[in-house]
Amino acid sequence: RLLIVTSNVEPRDVWSVVGYNIVRHFQCTSTLCYSGEEKYKFAFGRNRCKSELFETYGYLVLLWDLLNVLIYTKGRPDAIYCNVEHYAPVAMWLSRIYDVPYLITAHGTYGVTLPVRYKIYRKAFENANCVVCVSRYTRKRMEEEGIRGIYRVIRNGVDKTKFVPRPGVSKENIVLFVGNLKPRKGF
């Protein structure tokens, strides 16, 4: 049983696409989701994590999320997967309560800025059983900022059953870039 703390179970943004595919491919038994849709930002409810509002409401939203998970999760998970950096402290506390390992994915900037700005996030990242970075750059930046942790770089994948080359399309002189156009990305 894997408890997943993610932004959404529908593939709507980078975080939720990863969470969606984890749930879909691994058939996880327990998930907790936050809907990133603007209309749900203040709809506090069972599957509406609020840790993304930490910078505005502080520890209150972390406590809210922790209590919601504890109340609505049936049974003890075997591990916790935190797919969104904002939920890292909640994953850490759940890990201690359930006495299970936890893993965090650092998708980019938040994996660096949150632990640099806030001690609770630094502690969550440094105590994780593993921090998966989606790029070498993210790992490097975290290490440069002194965020100690067990890091693994695992790049985002592609579902080859969904994305296949069209017949008759030449593979020469095609450039495909997915991401923000930033010099550090090497485009």
Side-chain angles (χ1 to χ4, degrees), residues 23-42:
V23 171
R24 190 176 68 133
H25 288 292
F26 294 103
Q27 299 300 305
C28 302
T29 57
S30 298
T31 62
L32 176 73
C33 302
Y34 166 82
S35 177
E37 294 180 69
E38 191 62 38
K39 65 182 178 180
Y40 293 121
K41 286 280 185 189
F42 297 99

Side-chain angles (χ1 to χ4, degrees), residues 21-116:
N21 283 299
I22 294 280
V23 171
R24 190 176 68 133
H25 288 292
F26 294 103
Q27 299 300 305
C28 302
T29 57
S30 298
T31 62
L32 176 73
C33 302
Y34 166 82
S35 177
E37 294 180 69
E38 191 62 38
K39 65 182 178 180
Y40 293 121
K41 286 280 185 189
F42 297 99
F44 283 65
R46 185 162 77 93
N47 286 331
R48 302 286 182 246
C49 293
K50 298 296 165 206
S51 293
E52 290 178 40
L53 302 173
F54 178 79
E55 295 185 76
T56 304
Y57 297 104
Y59 284 89
L60 180 62
V61 290
L62 298 178
L63 181 59
W64 175 266
D65 289 349
L66 176 66
L67 291 174
N68 270 311
V69 175
L70 291 172
I71 290 168
Y72 293 107
T73 299
K74 304 283 189 239
R76 179 182 173 270
D78 298 310
I80 298 164
Y81 171 56
C82 178
N83 181 45
V84 178
E85 296 95 331
H86 288 86
Y87 308 144
V90 174
M92 177 182 67
W93 293 333
L94 290 168
S95 169
R96 289 181 180 169
I97 291 167
Y98 290 126
D99 192 28
V100 298
Y102 73 103
L103 164 80
I104 302 168
T105 294
H107 293 276
T109 309
Y110 287 121
V112 179
T113 58
L114 288 171
V116 166

